[in-house]
Amino acid sequence: MVERLLIKALQGGENTKIMTFTGKKIKKMPSTLEKLPALKTLDLQNNLIPEVCPEIRTLTQLTSLNLGNNLLEAVPEELKYLVSLRKLHLFGNRICRFASGVCDGLQNLILLNLNNNQLTWLPQEIGRLKSLVYMSINHNQLAIIPTELCSLLNLVELQLNYNQVIYIPEEIKFLKDLQKLLLARNNIKALPNFQNLKLREFYCEGNPLLLKRPVITTHHKDIWSLQISGRLWPTSWTTQHLSKQNRKVKCAVKGKCHTKNELTSRFVMDQLEEKNPLLMNAIDSYPQVRDIISPGKKCAICGKPFLTIWLECVQFIHPSKNCKVSRNLQLVPVQILICSYRCFMQRSPNVFGVADA
């Protein structure tokens, strides 16, 4: 039966645009695919295929590939040659590896389905799939979502249900077109602030999200302190560019207990935001300084920049009325970061500090 269908496809030559061999118990992809360079759709789902054949690289006009429910163990490098591919279905395999080079060639891919596999990680190169609109990786073993995924600015739908995800990058707020975010059954305790997203569907049931159950801290104001940063500022920078403005540094951080490195970092980031010409010109000569301050955050209370997290907090917000959510979801704990004790004491009643039990 398979041989007869294959012969018919080969006889069609360049006129053959679609090839469908579903549920035929095929154990190997046909190497004769190289004789069908004009193929647009290849459907080989529900078979017993353990790997793709090298000849698949000749299908440069292929727009849809379905290898769902087979025995693949990797997203193979050969797929990078499918430069016209728009839809890739790899659900229901045994995939535990994702060749990073694949992302270089799939610049036209809009749909990626990796549901029901064994992935524990995604390559950073996933951020190169710039045309991606729909991504579904339900029922895997992912624990970390790479920040690079948040550079997929065309993403409309992201499904990560039934994984082991513990953290969603705060950069997800840049996915302005995202409408559907599914995070059910993971290990997420708090969510980043993505109130600016216009989500139409958001599901996060089955996560150990923080409960709104406040407790009284036993810490006294005087012992709140900042973690010591392990990175040192270049002596020449601090001497040459900050000694004359030392008074301003003291004024900017009056009343806060922080390390010298943190004080310097905060002052520099603040002045760069204000476009101080002295520091704007000087920082180009000190790339190590730019590296130090690049992870900087902004305080959710005062809006000032800081480097080392003083206190992680959560703010409980109501989901948008226009967004479909889990039936029992009334408040969503959103992660926010605060720079100092002073700002912590000025927080709204719906903001709570996070501490280990």
Side-chain angles (χ1 to χ4, degrees):
M1 182 65 175
V2 174
E3 290 78 7
R4 186 162 62 250
L5 291 173
L6 187 56
I7 291 173
K8 184 177 180 180
L10 292 172
Q11 288 175 342
E14 292 190 0
N15 293 323
T16 300
K17 307 295 183 182
I18 300 175
M19 181 182 286
T20 303
F21 293 148
T22 62
K24 304 298 183 183
K25 298 182 180 180
I26 298 174
K27 297 183 179 180
K28 184 179 180 181
M29 289 184 69
S31 59
T32 50
L33 286 174
E34 62 182 350
K35 298 180 180 180
L36 300 169
L39 201 63
K40 296 287 188 180
T41 300
L42 178 58
D43 190 345
L44 295 170
Q45 66 175 310
N46 300 326
N47 283 290
L48 302 170
I49 300 171
E51 60 184 5
V52 301
C53 62
E55 291 78 10
I56 198 172
R57 65 180 62 190
T58 63
L59 304 181
T60 56
Q61 296 186 42
L62 196 69
T63 60
S64 179
L65 175 60
N66 192 334
L67 283 166
N69 292 330
N70 276 282
L71 303 176
L72 300 177
E73 295 184 357
V75 179
E77 192 91 14
E78 288 84 354
L79 297 184
K80 70 180 180 181
Y81 298 102
L82 307 181
V83 293
S84 300
L85 199 65
R86 293 175 63 81
K87 298 180 180 180
L88 177 58
H89 297 277
L90 296 172
F91 57 86
N93 280 275
R94 302 173 180 177
I95 296 173
C96 57
R97 301 186 305 278
F98 195 126
S100 58
V102 173
C103 303
D104 292 329
L106 301 183
Q107 296 301 302
N108 292 305
L109 195 69
I110 62 172
L111 183 150
L112 177 59
N113 186 338
L114 284 163
N115 292 340
N116 297 96
N117 278 288
Q118 301 170 21
L119 284 168
T120 58
W121 59 276
L122 294 173
Q124 295 179 346
E125 290 77 5
I126 198 78
R128 298 177 185 173
L129 302 177
K130 298 299 185 182
S131 299
L132 204 61
V133 177
Y134 306 99
M135 175 182 281
S136 187
I137 320 180
N138 298 322
H139 292 275
N140 277 267
Q141 300 169 27
L142 297 175
I144 301 295
I145 303 303
T147 302
E148 290 75 10
L149 187 147
C150 300
S151 65
L152 302 177
L153 301 183
N154 291 310
L155 208 60
V156 171
E157 182 174 319
L158 177 59
Q159 298 192 28
L160 296 168
N161 294 324
Y162 291 89
N163 278 278
Q164 299 171 19
V165 177
I166 58 176
Y167 171 76
I168 299 296
E170 65 176 281
E171 289 80 3
I172 197 171
K173 65 186 178 184
F174 298 126
L175 300 180
K176 303 294 186 181
D177 292 337
L178 194 64
Q179 297 180 13
K180 189 174 182 178
L181 179 59
L182 307 186
L183 302 172
R185 305 294 174 183
N186 280 281
N187 293 321
I188 303 168
K189 291 185 178 180
L191 297 164
N193 191 340
F194 50 78
Q195 296 181 63
N196 61 315
L197 298 182
K198 299 178 181 179
L199 294 177
R200 294 183 179 178
E201 290 188 47
F202 173 63
Y203 296 98
C204 61
E205 66 270 20
N207 282 282
L209 295 172
L210 294 169
L211 300 175
K212 188 176 178 180
R213 187 180 300 160
V215 296
I216 302 301
T217 177
T218 57
H219 289 277
H220 189 268
K221 176 178 178 178
D222 294 337
I223 64 173
W224 284 107
S225 62
L226 191 71
Q227 299 174 11
I228 297 177
S229 173
R231 306 185 69 177
L232 298 177
W233 277 74
T235 303
S236 57
W237 169 279
T238 54
T239 301
Q240 181 179 354
H241 300 289
L242 296 183
S243 59
K244 295 181 180 180
Q245 304 186 60
N246 187 49
R247 184 177 301 174
K248 291 184 179 180
V249 177
K250 290 181 179 179
C251 293
V253 296
K254 184 179 181 181
K256 301 177 183 178
C257 180
H258 299 318
T259 66
K260 180 180 178 181
N261 286 342
E262 181 69 19
L263 299 183
T264 306
S265 299
R266 292 188 180 195
F267 176 74
V268 170
M269 289 188 290
D270 186 60
Q271 291 299 301
L272 288 175
E273 283 199 350
E274 295 182 7
K275 301 191 182 303
N276 181 310
L278 174 65
L279 297 187
M280 294 285 287
N281 293 329
I283 197 168
D284 291 333
S285 302
Y286 293 85
Q288 65 269 47
V289 171
R290 191 177 294 276
D291 290 341
I292 291 174
I293 65 176
S294 60
K297 312 292 183 183
K298 280 193 175 182
C299 177
I301 305 299
C302 69
K304 295 289 186 179
F306 65 97
L307 188 60
T308 307
I309 297 173
W310 184 85
L311 182 63
E312 178 183 351
C313 297
V314 292
Q315 180 179 13
F316 290 87
I317 64 172
H318 293 278
S320 170
K321 294 181 179 180
N322 298 323
C323 181
K324 294 181 180 179
V325 297
S326 307
R327 183 176 301 176
N328 59 346
L329 184 64
Q330 298 179 356
L331 292 171
V332 179
V334 173
Q335 181 191 53
I336 64 172
L337 304 177
I338 293 178
C339 72
S340 66
Y341 181 84
R342 175 183 295 178
C343 286
F344 181 68
M345 296 307 293
Q346 295 174 357
R347 72 194 188 281
S348 69
N350 211 28
V351 173
F352 299 88
V354 178
D356 293 331

